[in-house]
Amino acid sequence: MIVRIAVEELKVGMFVDSMECSWVDNPFWRRSLLIKTDEDIARLVASPVAFVSIDTRKGRGTTLIPHAERRRAGDTPPPSTGGEPPVERRRRRAGPAAETLEETLGRSKQRVVALFQEARLGKAIAIEAVTPLVDDIATTMQRDAAAMIKGTRLKLNDDYTYLHSIAVCALMVNFAIHLGLGEDEVRAIGAAGLLHDIGKATTPEHILNKPGRLEGAELDVMRRHPAAGHAILGELGETAAITLDVCLHHHERIDGSGYPEGLAGDAVSLHARIAAICDVYDAVTSIRPYKRPWSPHEALAQMLSWQGHFDPVLLDAFIANLGIQPLGALVRLHSNRLGIVLDGAEDPTRPLVRTFFHVPDAQFVGPEDVDTTRDPVLRSERGDYWFADRWAEVSADVLANRLPVPLDGGSTIAMGVR
């Protein structure tokens, strides 16, 4: 049975099935766990979490909790009979007002700059300072992911590497949580994202900050940074294996065409595959003085087209996690129309969509550009399922703002409709 209780009522041996909080307020960074020690309870009591649901089939039940205080999950909590209301306890625990995004980014950048300076001077990196920084970045990402990524998008030459490290850390933490990885693994992945480019501390600045494409020998020098970073971190002796792996292998590709070791397939770890996706996505969507950034829609479409570059299953999961549809993707709207994602929307999670097919009637309709803030995207769809081998022709007509030619000799029913 699932029973809803206050965190103060927890006992060692209970199995927490869920917590009533955002993941960033969760002191364990995972949805469920067995309460093993009094310290576990203390962490929850000290957190903003007020209520949890326990599963009595997997752990200790509520026999020691007064019957009047037991509540099934989903029940309305009884009126307070005294003491501090849960909402006030949440506010008290939350501490002072959250700092602004600019303050968080500025402070995070200062810390990352210090890490790179220590590496550049051959000093040991203060690795113990990394985890609190990862937590700060994760908190800001949870508060407003879109603003966080937007805030790191404008990168001047002098601070590109530092802000890129922060952005990759944020993307990797967010993605790791989406994949359901455990607390320790998520934190290690965040540290790996923050330090994945630490080897660039050894790269000459005229190459690192060159306002244009690197050529020949310059590219060879730049490609030394994974091994250089791995060596820097390896000297610390206490660096997590995940961080070392990501630092060395975030430029590897599934087809073996990456560097520095040319690993392929399963030889590239899950963590390095995650890093490769987040690293490239931030790089191609960043605003640089010498190049036009790709929009999120355009970036994801291009990344999908690079056969052999990324793990395709992970890339699909990354797209789902972002909630951003690639340019040219087929989607179904809440109005039960199919449409193709266009570019240009201010909010990439609510793209402009050109609709052209009405699902209930199974027929084409005149192309119409729809604002998905009013008619939200319901889900992505497969063009080959709906239109079989004519999908390329149909999508070309729609993007040219033409009504597609009816299928099957005049029938307007799509070939793939089931």
Side-chain angles (χ1 to χ4, degrees):
M1 182 172 68
I2 303 297
V3 180
R4 182 177 185 269
I5 65 174
V7 292
E8 290 85 356
E9 299 168 336
L10 281 167
K11 304 291 182 183
V12 172
M14 288 182 173
F15 185 88
V16 175
D17 180 73
S18 62
M19 306 181 196
E20 297 183 14
C21 64
S22 67
W23 66 263
V24 87
D25 287 335
N26 185 328
F28 296 97
W29 281 31
R30 58 181 182 270
R31 180 179 181 274
S32 58
L33 75 154
L34 177 67
I35 299 297
K36 297 180 179 179
T37 66
D38 289 335
E39 286 72 21
D40 291 341
I41 298 172
R43 288 178 68 181
L44 275 165
V45 170
S47 77
V49 181
F51 293 96
V52 299
S53 292
I54 63 169
D55 189 338
T56 59
R57 297 165 300 180
K58 298 181 179 180
R60 182 177 177 178
T62 56
T63 54
L64 299 182
I65 299 175
H67 180 75
E69 296 182 15
R70 298 181 198 171
R71 295 178 288 278
R72 289 180 179 271
D75 289 351
T76 301
S80 174
T81 56
E84 186 179 31
V87 67
E88 293 302 325
R89 183 158 60 87
R90 284 172 180 265
R91 288 173 182 164
R92 175 175 55 78
R93 290 175 181 173
E99 65 182 358
T100 67
L101 175 65
E102 291 76 14
E103 289 171 339
T104 300
L105 284 176
R107 185 165 49 79
S108 299
K109 178 188 165 185
Q110 287 178 349
R111 294 185 185 178
V112 174
V113 169
L115 290 173
F116 274 75
Q117 286 177 340
E118 289 171 358
R120 190 172 290 116
L121 295 173
K123 297 180 180 179
I125 295 174
I127 203 73
E128 67 276 1
V130 173
T131 297
L133 181 52
V134 171
D135 289 347
D136 285 349
I137 293 169
T139 299
T140 306
M141 192 71 171
Q142 171 65 18
R143 190 186 310 137
D144 193 339
M148 176 66 172
I149 299 304
K150 185 176 180 179
T152 61
R153 189 154 290 153
L154 176 58
K155 302 180 177 76
L156 303 177
N157 278 356
D158 292 343
D159 61 13
Y160 173 82
T161 299
Y162 314 123
L163 288 177
H164 174 65
S165 297
I166 294 169
V168 171
C169 170
L171 289 168
M172 289 182 67
V173 165
N174 206 32
F175 191 20
I177 292 171
H178 174 77
L179 294 174
L181 303 183
E183 172 192 359
D184 292 342
E185 195 171 4
V186 169
R187 279 201 168 98
I189 284 174
L194 205 60
L195 297 171
H196 77 288
D197 270 345
I198 194 69
K200 289 184 178 179
T202 66
T203 304
E205 291 194 6
H206 72 276
I207 294 178
L208 195 62
N209 297 327
K210 182 181 177 181
R213 182 183 296 275
L214 299 178
E215 304 290 346
E218 294 173 329
L219 191 58
D220 291 339
V221 171
M222 178 62 81
R223 287 187 170 182
R224 296 173 190 164
H225 79 269
H230 185 269
I232 290 170
L233 296 176
E235 291 176 359
L236 298 177
E238 57 188 39
T239 306
I242 290 175
T243 303
L244 289 168
D245 174 43
V246 166
C247 184
L248 185 61
H249 297 131
H250 63 277
H251 284 294
E252 301 289 357
R253 298 179 181 177
I254 296 300
D255 63 4
S257 64
Y259 66 91
E261 297 180 339
L263 301 181
D266 291 340
V268 185
S269 72
L270 169 67
H271 309 113
R273 297 181 193 204
I274 290 172
I277 292 171
C278 297
D279 179 53
V280 170
Y281 177 78
D282 180 67
V284 298
T285 57
S286 293
I287 301 170
R288 303 295 302 278
Y290 55 84
K291 78 172 185 69
R292 178 187 72 84
W294 289 347
S295 73
H297 308 293
E298 185 180 5
L300 295 174
Q302 290 287 347
M303 291 170 71
L304 282 168
S305 72
W306 296 338
Q307 296 297 318
H309 198 137
F310 306 107
D311 180 318
V313 175
L314 276 181
L315 183 55
D316 285 344
F318 179 73
I319 291 170
N321 178 44
L322 288 181
I324 298 173
Q325 296 293 338
L327 183 66
L330 180 67
V331 295
R332 185 189 297 214
L333 302 187
H334 191 267
S335 60
N336 249 338
R337 289 179 289 177
L338 299 182
I340 294 178
V341 174
L342 305 179
D343 219 336
E346 183 174 342
D347 181 352
T349 64
R350 297 177 179 179
L352 186 65
V353 171
R354 181 165 295 166
T355 59
F356 67 94
F357 190 83
H358 190 244
V359 172
D361 295 336
Q363 66 179 2
F364 290 118
V365 294
E368 178 187 356
D369 291 353
V370 174
D371 179 357
T372 55
T373 58
R374 300 180 179 179
D375 189 0
V377 173
L378 192 61
R379 63 172 180 262
S380 60
E381 296 281 357
R382 284 176 42 208
D384 59 350
Y385 171 83
W386 287 96
F387 307 104
D389 58 2
R390 286 203 57 196
W391 168 232
E393 176 187 343
V394 169
S395 61
D397 283 339
V398 174
L399 291 174
N401 213 17
R402 297 191 299 262
L403 181 69
V405 176
L407 306 175
D408 293 335
S411 168
T412 58
I413 298 178
M415 297 170 67
V417 174
R418 303 291 194 273

